[in-house]
Amino acid sequence: NTMVRRDLGVSVTLSGTSPESPSRQNTFAYNQIYGGRLGLHDALDTSIVGNYIEGGSTGQAPVVRMGGAVERLLFAENTVVRSRNASPGTLLNVSSESTSRAFSATEDVDIATDTLRRTGHGWQTGVGPLRASASTEPNGPANILPTGLAAGIDYWAIRIDVDHIQLALGHHEAEAGQAVDLQDTGSGTFELTRTAFPRSVSIQGNRLSTQVPLPKGEALVTFTNASAVSFRDNELASFAAVDLDMAVKFDRTPVRKRPLVGWEVVGNRFRGDAHLPPEFDEAGTGSFGVAVSMA
């Protein structure tokens, strides 16, 4: 297929409805996208192979964006270009995403059974990590977490039924039904936020290039809160004729409690001053300040 967009928006989205209901076992191959972007969210066992994606954008949005509950993803033999009519921005991004459920302390907390009520919560036993938070607006009513829950701690869901859950301090504890003891209801409202982390992502054999600069401090390709990533045999090229700060960046945010592991960067080619032969084009003058950054 050939797909053309003139408003520089998203051309294709390959997504499930939520981290708990991802798309599964799909292939997107040998298509051409001009002027648009490709997005993938909450997807398992997906292959994106052999496509040509030339993205323009009026903002910094990546040409290819993959996030949420992404597992066992193959992105291979694609050509991805950030075109000359695009604003400065990244080319490819793989990152985590969060979803939140709100609870009322007076209506949704049962300390007798250590249970939280949320109509159609959609969580199965073992879903997590979940973080509890109770933010208060200036001059607003006080929001206080139930005693037994704390901010900055990872919890996992124990499904009671379609509308009720308990919380556990670990995945194994959740499977064993060992619920956190809620000693009071707290006050106001609070939220449980689940962050989905990409893992087992293979980016291999792609040609990734930009014709415009990057925002200061950004990388051409970014991974955030991703584990078990293979970045192999890709070519990253800049035709922007300016110095770019970074080619590839592996990063994490404070939402991730545990260390990230399994990054593999092998056999890639970095061309920060790419250009056509002199008889066709002026020689490029730019470079990548850093090829790969791992934080």
Side-chain angles (χ1 to χ4, degrees):
N1 302 287
T2 298
M3 310 170 199
V4 179
R5 284 198 70 112
R6 307 206 182 276
D7 60 0
L8 308 183
V10 176
S11 287
V12 177
T13 300
L14 310 171
S15 300
T17 56
S18 70
E20 292 73 42
S21 182
S23 64
R24 297 174 183 269
Q25 298 179 335
N26 294 298
T27 298
F28 184 78
Y30 306 110
N31 302 284
Q32 299 179 81
I33 298 176
Y34 294 93
R37 304 194 304 271
L38 172 69
L40 179 141
H41 305 87
D42 302 331
L44 309 183
D45 301 296
T46 296
S47 298
I48 301 174
V49 178
N51 302 282
Y52 180 86
I53 307 168
E54 182 179 304
S57 175
T58 56
Q60 296 182 12
V63 177
V64 177
R65 168 78 166 86
M66 297 180 280
V70 174
E71 296 185 28
R72 298 178 300 279
L73 167 69
L74 174 65
F75 188 83
E77 306 298 332
N78 301 284
T79 297
V80 183
V81 179
R82 194 171 187 94
S83 62
R84 294 190 185 280
N85 67 335
S87 302
T90 58
L91 194 66
L92 185 150
N93 175 260
V94 180
S95 64
S96 56
E97 289 184 349
S98 60
T99 55
S100 296
R101 307 278 193 272
F103 298 84
S104 166
T106 56
E107 298 178 5
D108 299 330
V109 181
D110 186 341
I111 60 174
T113 59
D114 300 319
T115 299
L116 305 178
R117 181 179 66 86
R118 178 62 155 80
T119 302
H121 56 76
W123 288 337
Q124 302 296 324
T125 294
V127 164
L130 306 170
R131 290 285 180 96
S133 62
S135 59
T136 299
E137 297 292 332
N139 303 318
N143 295 322
I144 301 174
L145 288 172
T147 300
L149 300 183
I153 300 296
D154 286 344
Y155 299 98
W156 278 257
I158 302 173
R159 178 187 173 95
I160 304 302
D161 57 38
V162 68
D163 297 326
H164 297 85
I165 61 168
Q166 295 173 323
L167 296 177
L169 287 171
H171 186 273
H172 295 296
E173 289 83 351
E175 294 290 346
Q178 300 172 4
V180 170
D181 180 19
L182 303 179
Q183 301 165 30
D184 63 41
T185 63
S187 64
T189 61
F190 64 94
E191 291 186 339
L192 289 177
T193 299
R194 180 198 179 185
T195 302
F197 301 108
R199 56 186 178 181
S200 299
V201 175
S202 179
I203 311 292
Q204 63 184 46
N206 302 284
R207 298 177 66 89
L208 311 171
S209 65
T210 184
Q211 298 177 5
V212 294
L214 286 167
K216 188 66 176 176
E218 294 294 323
L220 197 62
V221 176
T222 60
F223 298 89
T224 306
N225 296 329
S227 294
V229 172
S230 175
F231 191 77
R232 176 184 286 271
D233 299 327
N234 302 285
E235 178 178 294
L236 285 80
S238 168
F239 294 88
V242 296
D243 293 338
L244 304 184
D245 285 348
M246 205 175 304
V248 180
K249 183 178 183 180
F250 289 83
D251 205 358
R252 55 182 291 182
T253 62
V255 73
R256 181 77 193 206
K257 183 179 178 181
R258 290 167 176 78
L260 300 167
V261 297
W263 297 336
E264 174 188 70
V265 182
V266 178
N268 301 285
R269 183 182 181 191
F270 300 90
R271 302 176 62 208
D273 58 353
H275 57 85
L276 296 173
E279 59 266 31
F280 298 110
D281 197 3
E282 294 295 326
T285 59
S287 66
F288 290 120
V290 175
V292 180
S293 171
M294 293 186 175

